[in-house]
Amino acid sequence: MPEPQLVAWVFAGLTGVVIAFQLALAAGAPWGVCAMGGRFPGVFPPPMRVAAVVQAALLAAIAGVVLARAGLALPAWQAASAWLIWAVLVMTPAQEDRRP
């Protein structure tokens, strides 16, 4: 398997883990301390559960764009993936350590 395709599968797999976490939060898992900076420890309130579903959907679309760009899935997205991949890049920046 060529390296770009392997990287796309790894990205999609890791994104799938985050999607599962978001859906678990939406379903009532008491992991709020691990999300949103711990602002809602325990079970998310209803508006945050909706936000978790929206985030899961957005992450699924991002993974779909990456897989389409690598030619691995969603052939209908292949043409649009040439410019959508730039939106993915903007939405998934590298994390900085902002500790003092």
Side-chain angles (χ1 to χ4, degrees), residues 31 54 72 93:
W31 303 332
V54 171
L72 297 170

Side-chain angles (χ1 to χ4, degrees), residues 13-100:
L14 292 173
T15 303
V17 171
V18 179
I19 291 168
F21 175 74
Q22 291 293 333
L23 292 176
L25 287 170
W31 303 332
V33 72
C34 300
M36 307 295 280
R39 184 169 181 194
F40 303 98
V43 176
F44 269 6
M48 294 309 298
R49 289 183 181 199
V50 172
V53 171
V54 171
Q55 290 174 26
L58 182 60
L59 288 166
I62 287 171
V65 169
V66 170
L67 290 173
R69 188 72 192 134
L72 297 170
L74 303 169
W77 290 18
Q78 186 71 38
S81 72
W83 59 270
L84 283 174
I85 198 69
W86 291 103
V88 169
L89 181 67
V90 168
M91 294 170 62
T92 55
Q95 296 296 311
E96 293 180 24
D97 183 3
R98 295 181 186 221
R99 290 179 283 181

